[in-house]
Amino acid sequence: MTDIKHTEDGDLDLSGGDLAYAVSDVQHRKDILLSRKGDYKEHPALGVDAADYVNETDPEGLLRTIRKEFTSDGMRVTKVSLNARGELETDAHYENS
């Protein structure tokens, strides 16, 4: 999916003097992971709120929620897991990307 490009900090990328456009699958995954339910007026049920899972001892609930939210946003999810260092690994893309 193509969308307005953001910087690593989440700001609009105006480095070229104007709005830039880029494939935004990674950006959308990040937005969904960080957002809470109700953050998007158009889609109030969308959002993982990953920060809410920080003190959880069993990551399965987080991984299930991520898979569900990515799928409900129209992504094809092939991988959602934690690696040996406890870092989240995802592979999910929109069908038209």
Side-chain angles (χ1 to χ4, degrees):
M1 180 177 285
T2 302
D3 205 344
I4 296 171
K5 186 177 177 185
H6 290 180
T7 64
E8 288 294 318
D9 297 331
D11 294 328
L12 294 177
D13 185 352
L14 302 172
S15 60
D18 200 356
L19 290 175
Y21 293 88
V23 174
S24 59
D25 291 8
V26 173
Q27 178 178 308
H28 285 225
R29 288 195 306 260
K30 180 180 174 183
D31 291 342
I32 291 169
L33 286 170
L34 297 176
S35 65
R36 296 179 311 244
K37 303 235 185 264
D39 282 352
Y40 297 105
K41 179 180 178 182
E42 302 83 13
H43 303 284
L46 181 66
V48 172
D49 192 12
D52 195 39
Y53 290 89
V54 168
N55 294 323
E56 293 289 324
T57 56
D58 182 20
E60 291 305 314
L62 171 63
L63 299 177
R64 246 188 326 274
T65 301
I66 292 169
R67 181 175 293 277
K68 178 181 152 260
E69 295 300 320
F70 285 177
T71 301
S72 72
D73 196 50
M75 291 184 203
R76 181 180 203 170
V77 181
T78 55
K79 179 181 182 181
V80 175
S81 63
L82 295 176
N83 65 21
R85 294 183 304 231
E87 298 167 335
L88 180 63
E89 294 182 343
T90 63
D91 184 14
H93 302 280
Y94 294 99
E95 291 293 328
N96 59 356
S97 295

